[in-house]
Amino acid sequence: QVQLVESGGGLVQAGGSLRLSCAASGSISSINDMGWYRQAPGKQRELVAAITRSGRINYADSVKGRFTISRDNAKNTVYLQMNSLKPEDTAVYYCNAEILTHWGTRRDYWGQGTQVTVSS
């Protein structure tokens, strides 16, 4: 089965940095878009950053200049480098990937979520 495994979350002070990673594994033919979403308590889930297979990127306005998304297609992995973290960045972060399996199924897959907590 296709699986996305996230890592890198944790507790950090304001101004600090974290690097999230998300590795996809399983019967993967190809991966198209990959991205990171987050959801804070009482708030809607929002797109943080997305990156296409060819490397085209878009960010939420709230993280521009602070976060960097990247991917390693050979490793089926997407990263989110988060710098200058703010308390309002506190949320559960989920990775997402549009994946085509070897048997022809195209779906969005989600990671399990990783908690990022930024203290002031």
Side-chain angles (χ1 to χ4, degrees):
Q1 286 287 104
V2 173
Q3 187 176 28
L4 273 59
V5 179
E6 302 176 28
S7 63
L11 175 64
V12 65
Q13 293 184 344
S17 298
L18 287 172
R19 188 188 187 211
L20 307 183
S21 64
C22 176
S25 62
S27 299
I28 297 170
S29 179
S30 63
I31 302 177
N32 296 321
D33 295 345
M34 303 185 81
W36 291 93
Y37 293 74
R38 68 186 182 187
Q39 187 165 24
K43 295 185 177 180
Q44 298 175 313
R45 182 175 295 188
E46 64 176 349
L47 175 68
V48 177
I51 182 168
T52 68
R53 185 179 181 181
S54 63
R56 186 169 297 278
I57 295 168
N58 67 79
Y59 295 100
D61 288 341
S62 60
V63 307
K64 286 181 179 178
R66 300 188 297 119
F67 291 10
T68 303
I69 189 170
S70 61
R71 65 189 286 173
D72 185 336
N73 291 335
K75 296 181 179 180
N76 290 332
T77 299
V78 62
Y79 305 93
L80 186 67
Q81 178 67 46
M82 303 184 293
N83 298 327
S84 301
L85 283 162
K86 303 175 180 179
E88 50 263 45
D89 295 318
T90 296
V92 178
Y93 284 70
Y94 299 89
C95 69
N96 171 266
E98 182 186 4
I99 296 174
L100 177 66
T101 67
H102 287 303
W103 47 87
T105 300
R106 180 180 284 110
R107 284 185 176 184
D108 282 343
Y109 291 85
W110 292 88
Q112 79 281 3
T114 185
Q115 177 70 46
V116 172
T117 302
V118 184
S119 62
S120 59

